[in-house]
Structure formats: structure tokens, C-alpha cells
Amino acid sequence: MEKKNIDWENLGFSYQETAKRFVANYKNGTWDEGALISDANVTINECAGVFQYAQTCFEGLKAYTTEDGHIVCFRPDLNAQRMEDSCKRLEMPVFPKERFVQAVTDVVAANEAYVPPYGSGATLYIRPYMFGSSSVIGVKPADEYQFRIFTTPVGPYFKGGAKPLTIKVSDFDRAAPHGTGDIKAGLNYAMSLHAIVTAHAEGYDENMYLDAATRTNVEETGGANFLFVTKDNKVVTPKSNSILPSITRRSLMVVAREYLGLEVEEREVPFAEVKDFAECGLCGTAAVISPVGKIVDHGKEIAFPSGMSEMGPITKKLYDTLTGIQMGRIEAPAGWIHVIQ
């Protein structure tokens, strides 16, 4: 299929409508067959559960053109599992994992003309989501739901290279110990908006949230997991039941251990220990790793030895290896790459 006439190398990270999206509806206790449709608009009742009680969850993944010309996506089975976990926590019907992966495959194939070419730095972002679609006025789950997937071509998260971020320790809490921090619920992101707007207004790139119970341990940012590197090159990530299980972070841990031969730890990370680390990064689908150069705790600065000009050496190796796997330049572990075409 001929590619769309898009300036791939100058795409931003923003929404651009593509030709097809997948839609399936849940009614009377079962999902329908679903279909690829052209209409990008959603029409639902004013009293829908998603509007009244924020009954919605979502996922995010990407499709890539590999070095040998295939279109692939990265570990969609884990996105399917995480959406299942989110649905169960929000009393929403589970969209079967096999159907989830097939729907991702079908949507990407239907939008092949929008998948950026290899070497452009751009990718096709894929957004599966689900919401309560029937009317609900009492506080209870909706009876009907809609599952959808749309795609949009996006440019590289970092324009002109990955410059280390400056982040602040937030006065807000991201998630309660037994709350919804470990699922990808829309409500988690809604509550983070004021905090991130405040951080930006104060000149910071992101927030570091501490645990809500003791405010002594590092948790995550509003949309990414933390990754630290010790001065003896050990890779450490925070562990908590209120942290979202990032697919990128879990993959990077395998890369660190199996590809780079590094020691890996997933454990509680006291904020008091942060000053002793050599490198820091934020893990997520959009950027893979966003390097952090400085953390500011109410005026007290922690500057990492890796500096404010580029990624630290271990962070860079992790980034290069994982992106190499995603783009087909490095052999992937079994099951990581889902070939679409």
C-alpha cells in the first residue's frame, strides 16, 4: 500500500486522524463481533457511565516499521493483560486478550498507509480504550460498554535528542496504597493534570510522586515509571502495589539483565537514597527512556553525575538496545515482537 503524503520526519506527538478504527459493543452480557469503521466520532447518552463516574480505562502501544520492512508491534499481549486487570478493578467487562491482539493487528493493517517508514524516527501510536456507554445515575457500574482502538502517526518524543529533564518532588499524592495506581484508569490521569500544570508553571518538566502512606519512598511520575542506576552500574526500579506496571520498564529490566549483563533490583526505593544514584530515567511507551538530570525537593537540588546534557552511559545502552529490538536491528526475546505484515 502506498504511504500517505506526510512529512514523517517532522511529525509531532499529537493526534492525526487515520482511516479506520475498531469498535466493539458490550450489551446483555456479551461482546458483539466488532468492526472496523471510518467514523472517528463517538455518540453516547448524556448520562453515560463514563461521564458520570469516570468508568473508563485505556492502553498505549506502538507499531513500527522494522529494518527489514515488516510492520510490527511490541508485546501487545501485555497491554491486553493490563487492560484486563484495569477492567476487573473498575467493574467493567473484560475484552478477551486474543481478541484484543487481533483487533490491534486489524487496525494497524487497515491503517498501513499511516505507518511511518523505517528510519524516519516516527511510529504509529495505538490507543485501545473502553468506557461505560449506557446511562447511569445511581453510583453503580454501567450495563453497556464500548471498546475502541484508534491509531495516529507520531514523531519521536525527543526532537533533536534526549535532553535530561528537571523534575520536582510533588506535594500531591498520585495514588493511595489500596487505590487504583496499579491500573491504567482515566481517573488517575485526570487527577495528575493540576499537578503537572503546576510543575510546568514552576519551570519543571515532571513530578516525582512519593508514596501516599509515608511520603518516604519513590513511586512514579504522572505517566512513567522511574529507573535508577547505581554508581556500580546496578539497575534499580521502585516496587509498590500502587505503581502502574509499565511494559517498557519490565522490558528494560530484561534487557539490562539478559543483554547487558547488569544486576537488576526491583524494590522499595527510599527518597533518601536518590542522591546516591549515578543515573535516573523515566520509562514509558512514548520515549522509552526520558533521562532525568536533576530532582528538586522544595529548593534542595539533587544533580545526577550523568549531567544535564545527555543520557547517562547505562541509560543510553538500555535505550539503544530496547529500540534496536523494537526496530528489528537486534534479535528479540521470544514473543516480544508481534508481526502484523
Side-chain angles (χ1 to χ4, degrees):
M1 181 182 292
E2 186 177 348
K3 296 294 184 183
K4 291 292 181 179
N5 185 21
I6 294 173
D7 186 2
W8 304 109
E9 295 184 1
N10 289 301
L11 277 173
F13 200 84
S14 59
Y15 173 75
Q16 179 177 153
E17 186 178 321
T18 57
K20 298 289 185 179
R21 64 273 312 130
F22 177 83
V23 181
N25 291 287
Y26 181 88
K27 188 175 183 179
N28 298 324
T30 188
W31 287 102
D32 65 18
E33 292 183 1
L36 292 170
I37 67 170
S38 299
D39 189 358
N41 297 302
V42 179
T43 302
I44 50 176
N45 187 269
E46 63 186 352
C47 197
V50 62
F51 296 143
Q52 306 310 315
Y53 304 118
Q55 205 179 11
T56 181
C57 60
F58 69 97
E59 279 298 321
L61 63 161
K62 289 180 176 180
Y64 313 83
T65 301
T66 60
E67 191 172 34
D68 61 4
H70 288 294
I71 295 175
V72 306
C73 59
F74 184 69
R75 309 190 77 178
D77 56 313
L78 296 189
N79 293 96
Q81 180 61 59
R82 192 167 63 181
M83 178 164 263
E84 177 177 317
D85 296 339
S86 297
C87 289
K88 288 178 178 178
R89 179 66 174 82
L90 296 174
E91 288 296 329
M92 301 168 72
V94 170
F95 194 74
K97 284 181 281 191
E98 297 78 11
R99 289 195 63 189
F100 179 104
V101 174
Q102 187 60 54
V104 166
T105 303
D106 293 345
V107 170
V108 173
N111 291 299
E112 178 189 352
Y114 294 89
V115 180
Y118 176 79
S120 65
T123 55
L124 187 73
Y125 186 79
I126 307 162
R127 171 56 59 86
Y129 62 109
M130 189 190 300
F131 54 86
S133 56
S134 60
S135 59
V136 180
I137 198 67
V139 181
K140 62 179 182 179
D143 294 320
E144 299 175 9
Y145 296 84
Q146 191 166 103
F147 171 76
R148 300 176 70 101
I149 306 175
F150 70 80
T151 62
T152 184
V154 296
Y157 196 78
F158 297 120
K159 290 287 189 182
K163 300 300 181 185
L165 309 175
T166 299
I167 64 179
K168 63 171 288 191
V169 176
S170 181
D171 290 323
F172 298 97
D173 292 327
R174 177 188 164 270
H178 302 287
T180 58
D182 61 336
I183 65 170
K184 208 165 176 65
L187 57 92
N188 293 346
Y189 295 81
M191 60 72 56
S192 74
L193 295 177
H194 177 63
I196 191 62
V197 168
T198 301
H200 288 168
E202 294 173 355
Y204 300 102
D205 297 298
E206 251 293 3
N207 289 288
M208 169 183 277
Y209 291 105
L210 304 180
D211 73 288
T214 70
R215 296 194 61 79
T216 59
N217 293 322
V218 176
E219 292 238 312
E220 61 172 287
T221 69
N225 286 182
F226 276 100
L227 177 150
F228 299 101
V229 180
T230 66
K231 291 176 181 174
D232 59 354
N233 294 337
K234 184 184 299 181
V235 179
V236 179
T237 62
K239 183 177 183 179
S240 164
N241 62 6
S242 55
I243 292 176
L244 184 73
S246 163
I247 293 164
T248 303
R249 188 260 301 162
R250 284 181 278 168
S251 302
L252 285 166
M253 295 300 96
V254 175
V255 166
R257 185 175 56 249
E258 304 296 333
Y259 284 73
L260 302 181
L262 301 173
E263 188 175 348
V264 171
E265 288 185 352
E266 184 181 0
R267 59 172 173 81
E268 286 190 350
V269 177
F271 179 70
E273 186 182 350
V274 171
K275 67 182 186 305
D276 300 322
F277 290 121
E279 301 175 37
C280 175
L282 308 180
C283 312
T285 299
V288 180
I289 306 177
S290 305
V292 175
K294 189 185 299 182
I295 296 173
V296 181
D297 177 22
H298 299 86
K300 300 176 184 176
E301 292 190 356
I302 298 172
F304 294 101
S306 51
M308 292 297 296
S309 60
E310 57 187 7
M311 282 187 178
I314 299 298
T315 304
K316 184 70 163 59
K317 287 180 181 178
L318 288 167
Y319 175 86
D320 287 345
T321 305
L322 186 56
T323 54
I325 289 170
Q326 291 171 334
M327 293 294 178
R329 297 188 296 269
I330 297 173
E331 185 176 356
W336 277 27
I337 302 299
H338 177 71
V339 179
I340 293 171
Q341 286 187 356

